[in-house]
């Protein structure tokens, strides 16, 4: 069977509609308010103890529809959970979850503002703008170097574009992870100072 140009346009329109629907569903989940975070948290607190185990958290993050390969998704969940689990007890309270949720929502808002084609993808320049919006580095040259390295890491396939899931994986593994390491180092330094 042959396809006409009209069929191609119909298929393209269907793909665009699906992509836009997926983007809208992520936006709905990551609305950004504390009320939204509490609602999302309570839906996945399966044993109603006010805490999420890592599996509950994993299931909650599936709601984001990140369209990531499993290894990347696992890296995202592991890094995010480790960041939020400040007391290292293996469970997240709502107080642990809200800062993480706000951080993810901030990445989402920055990404959406730079997704000028509304296709769920940004190029190298727009990725740099996302990082600028997130105020990850004060020095412009430091931010440019960070953006180059980060984009190369997020765009492991070398396509020249990254989607929200790839940006979020990079942010959770490198930015949240290094943030947690800095906090731990500061706590250790404070403890050493108190002992002296």
């Amino acid at each position: 069977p042959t396809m006409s140009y009209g069929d191609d346009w119909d298929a393209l329109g269907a793909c665009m509609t699906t992509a836009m629907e997926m983007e809208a569903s992520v936006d709905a989940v990551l609305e950004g308010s504390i009320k939204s975070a509490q609602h999302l948290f309570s839906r996945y607190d399966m044993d109603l103890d006010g805490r999420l185990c890592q599996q509950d958290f994993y299931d909650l993050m599936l709601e984001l529809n990140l369209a990531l390969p499993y290894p990347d998704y696992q890296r995202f969940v592991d890094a995010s959970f480790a960041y939020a689990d400040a007391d290292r007890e293996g469970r997240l309270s709502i107080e642990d979850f809200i800062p993480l949720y706000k951080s993810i929502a901030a990445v989402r808002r920055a990404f959406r503002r730079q997704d000028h084609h509304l296709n769920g993808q940004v190029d190298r320049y727009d990725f740099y703008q996302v990082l600028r919006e997130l105020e990850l580095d004060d020095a412009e040259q430091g931010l440019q170097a960070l953006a180059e390295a980060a984009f190369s890491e997020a765009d492991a396939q070398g396509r020249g574009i990254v989607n929200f899931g790839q940006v979020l994986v990079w942010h959770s593994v490198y930015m949240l992870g290094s943030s947690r390491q800095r906090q731990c180092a500061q706590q250790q330094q404070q403890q050493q100072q108190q002992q002296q």
Side-chain angles (χ1 to χ4, degrees):
T2 60
M3 287 180 55
S4 69
Y5 288 114
D7 293 336
D8 289 342
W9 285 111
D10 291 343
L12 179 62
C15 288
M16 289 298 292
T17 300
T18 302
M20 292 169 77
E21 288 170 351
M22 286 179 61
E23 290 293 305
S25 73
V26 173
D27 287 340
V29 172
L30 290 176
E31 183 259 320
S33 71
I34 291 176
K35 187 175 181 177
S36 295
Q38 290 168 331
H39 177 72
L40 188 61
F41 184 92
S42 67
R43 285 197 353 235
Y44 286 90
D45 179 13
M46 298 303 174
D47 55 7
L48 304 174
D49 68 347
R51 299 197 172 278
L52 298 178
C53 67
Q54 191 155 359
Q55 183 61 50
D56 294 340
F57 182 71
Y58 184 91
D59 294 342
L60 182 152
M61 289 293 125
L62 280 174
E63 193 162 326
L64 297 180
N65 294 320
L66 295 178
L68 290 169
Y70 178 76
D72 290 344
Y73 182 77
Q74 193 64 51
R75 285 176 56 211
F76 162 67
V77 170
D78 290 346
S80 298
F81 191 86
Y83 168 78
D85 186 19
D87 56 11
R88 302 291 181 243
E89 65 180 20
R91 299 176 66 75
L92 302 181
S93 67
I94 187 68
E95 291 79 16
D96 297 329
F97 178 71
I98 287 175
L100 174 64
Y101 177 84
K102 285 183 171 184
S103 175
I104 293 171
V107 173
R108 180 62 184 176
R109 283 190 302 276
F111 182 89
R112 289 295 285 165
R113 280 192 282 278
Q114 298 307 319
D115 180 11
H116 303 294
H117 300 289
L118 303 176
N119 64 357
Q121 300 174 337
V122 296
D123 62 15
R124 185 177 301 274
Y125 176 79
D126 294 332
F127 180 79
Y128 171 74
Q129 297 304 319
V130 168
L131 298 187
R132 283 189 71 198
E133 241 183 269
L134 295 172
E135 300 174 358
L136 296 179
D137 196 319
D138 293 330
E140 192 70 22
Q141 286 184 324
L143 182 58
Q144 287 176 341
L146 174 66
E148 280 300 314
F151 189 83
S152 295
E153 173 74 24
D155 183 27
Q157 299 164 342
R159 298 179 322 146
I161 54 174
V162 293
N163 64 32
F164 174 65
Q166 292 166 308
V167 172
L168 198 54
V169 169
W170 177 84
H171 182 264
S172 65
V173 171
Y174 295 99
M175 298 314 299
L176 296 181
S178 63
S179 171
R180 177 60 65 208
Q181 289 172 348
R182 282 192 301 273
Q183 288 174 347
C184 289
Q186 288 173 345
Q187 288 173 346
Q188 287 176 345
Q189 190 177 36
Q190 289 172 349
Q191 289 172 349
Q192 288 173 352
Q193 289 174 350
Q194 289 174 351
Q195 291 174 353
Q196 293 175 354

